Amino acid sequence: MLYRTAGQFKTTYEADQALFPVRQDAILLGVILLCAWVIFPLTASEFAFQTLLIPVLIYSLAALGLNILTGYAGQLSLGTAAFMGVGAYACYKLITLMPWMNPIVAILLSGVFSAGVGVAFGIPSLRIKGFYLAIATLAAQFFLVWLFEKWAWLYNYNASGAIQVPNLEMFGVYVAGPQASSIVQYYVVLFIVCLLTMLCINLTRGTLGRTWKATRDMDIAAELIGINLMRSKLTAFAISSYIVGVAGALFVFMWRGAAEPNLFDIPLSFRILFIAIIGGLGSIMGNYLGAILIVGLPVVLNLLPNALGISIDSALVEHLNIMIVGSLIVFFLIVEPHGLAQLWRLIREKMILWPFPH
């Protein structure tokens, strides 16, 4: 009943190819945006901002970047965290070398450096693919983390080897640093995430997106019909690394406040990969669903036992979180490889057809 499409006629090709062919989809998105921009900021506590809202958005953006490369272009990558680190360190150097620069501009520019590094490490994808490409990106992960540790210029020769986010102002309001409020940081993150999500939606629906999908499904056939595989793969690496680099800058400047090289080690790469797998590869919405589950699960496991009056050791909570996430990955790989996004598509189709069984 909620998704009844009676009376919604498509009389042109443009209407048939619209972003929201069903009117209820646009209404649902409007409700979600209203909650994100108005209701959550008015009702959320400091705890909710720091443990749920801001990390969900940042992890969603990082998974979106990985999904462009792996889900749409079919190029495996295990170096996502390292490219996030490139974005974070690039943003730090931009801010310290040019203190007058607008923080949002610095965050968006930091992705350019990450895109350049991503293209450099994406060149092997022209000759290798699959497991071997994953190993090549894993080598990039180890090399870049080593570089963050050894190249003291990146962290301004700080004795601790860490980068500290300074207080950054924009229009007289602190947007980053110790004096910035969580709601301001949330709005900055939300603005950038919405901007890049709309960019990715348009890219994946256009010519470039179809080129990526053809490369992913069968690269030899794609080359035979005239697709330039080098351009297709390297643009996927560039755009993916750009988005991941921006996510890395947000990760440090709008959430963590400080970072050491080991923050961008291999566990973060796997965490983002798990978000993409559980949410659904080749899906924009799946990144948000996967991030909500991965970020929200530890919070629920910590709060639910206390609400029920059950005392559970924090180490047990951590072990339960790892076990549940691992079980979910196995479940989705076997039962529903397209993840939570596909489950939502099935529910939506059932609601459109309801109350009829087929």
Side-chain angles (χ1 to χ4, degrees):
M1 182 67 72
L2 294 175
Y3 260 83
R4 180 159 294 179
T5 57
Q8 300 184 33
F9 302 110
K10 309 294 187 299
T11 57
T12 63
Y13 286 112
E14 184 180 359
D16 192 51
Q17 295 295 323
L19 182 59
F20 300 109
V22 178
R23 189 182 303 119
Q24 287 87 339
D25 289 334
I27 295 172
L28 179 60
L29 178 62
V31 172
I32 293 172
L33 290 176
L34 178 66
C35 292
W37 283 95
V38 180
I39 296 177
F40 290 161
L42 292 177
T43 57
S45 62
E46 182 77 13
F47 175 80
F49 278 121
Q50 292 298 325
T51 60
L52 284 174
L53 297 178
I54 294 177
V56 162
L57 291 174
I58 293 172
Y59 279 123
S60 298
L61 187 62
L64 176 60
L66 177 62
N67 230 327
I68 291 291
L69 182 63
T70 303
Y72 284 95
Q75 308 302 302
L76 296 179
S77 175
L78 295 176
T80 309
F83 298 126
M84 288 179 70
V86 173
Y89 279 91
C91 188
Y92 178 71
K93 293 304 294 184
L94 286 172
I95 290 296
T96 53
L97 293 175
M98 294 173 281
W100 45 264
M101 181 177 285
N102 186 294
I104 293 181
V105 173
I107 289 171
L108 293 175
L109 281 178
S110 65
V112 176
F113 297 91
S114 183
V117 175
V119 169
F121 282 103
I123 291 175
S125 69
L126 305 177
R127 301 300 299 269
I128 58 178
K129 58 184 177 180
F131 173 76
Y132 300 99
L133 179 59
I135 296 301
T137 57
L138 190 62
Q141 167 74 49
F142 292 128
F143 171 74
L144 289 172
V145 171
W146 173 84
L147 190 67
F148 299 152
E149 293 178 355
K150 301 302 181 183
W151 194 7
W153 178 80
L154 289 175
Y155 49 84
N156 289 344
Y157 304 96
N158 191 338
S160 66
I163 56 175
Q164 297 285 338
V165 178
N167 289 310
L168 302 177
E169 283 188 64
M170 193 172 67
F171 306 116
V173 178
Y174 287 107
V175 297
Q179 297 187 36
S181 64
S182 294
I183 189 170
V184 173
Q185 293 176 316
Y186 169 76
Y187 271 122
V188 172
V189 173
L190 182 61
F191 168 74
I192 294 176
V193 169
C194 289
L195 180 67
L196 292 182
T197 301
M198 285 304 300
L199 173 66
C200 290
I201 289 173
N202 284 284
L203 285 176
T204 54
R205 283 167 49 85
T207 304
L208 190 57
R210 290 191 288 272
T211 301
W212 288 338
K213 292 173 185 175
T215 305
R216 173 196 66 193
D217 293 340
M218 190 172 291
D219 54 352
I220 297 176
E223 190 172 21
L224 288 175
I225 62 174
I227 291 175
N228 188 326
L229 290 185
M230 181 181 73
R231 184 182 304 165
S232 173
K233 292 181 179 181
L234 292 186
T235 53
F237 267 97
I239 294 172
S240 169
S241 300
Y242 175 84
I243 296 170
V244 169
V246 172
L250 294 174
F251 185 71
V252 174
F253 277 72
M254 296 296 158
W255 185 31
R256 292 286 187 169
E260 294 182 349
N262 60 10
L263 180 64
F264 304 103
D265 218 337
I266 192 70
L268 181 59
S269 291
F270 281 120
R271 186 180 181 89
I272 296 165
L273 180 63
F274 296 160
I275 291 173
I277 291 174
I278 291 175
L281 293 173
S283 166
I284 299 292
M285 183 180 64
N287 303 299
Y288 295 92
L289 298 177
I292 290 171
L293 180 62
I294 294 296
V295 175
L297 183 62
V299 178
V300 172
L301 289 177
N302 275 305
L303 296 179
L304 187 60
N306 294 331
L308 298 176
I310 303 172
S311 60
I312 296 182
D313 187 71
S314 59
L316 178 59
V317 171
E318 181 65 25
H319 294 155
L320 285 174
N321 181 44
I322 295 172
M323 291 167 61
I324 293 173
V325 170
S327 301
L328 286 173
I329 291 170
V330 174
F331 171 80
F332 280 109
L333 287 175
I334 295 174
V335 178
E336 187 48 80
H338 297 292
L340 292 171
Q342 179 64 15
L343 294 181
W344 163 246
R345 292 190 199 103
L346 294 174
I347 294 171
R348 178 176 171 274
E349 290 176 6
K350 294 294 183 182
M351 288 193 293
I352 290 175
L353 294 174
W354 188 88
F356 303 105
H358 302 292

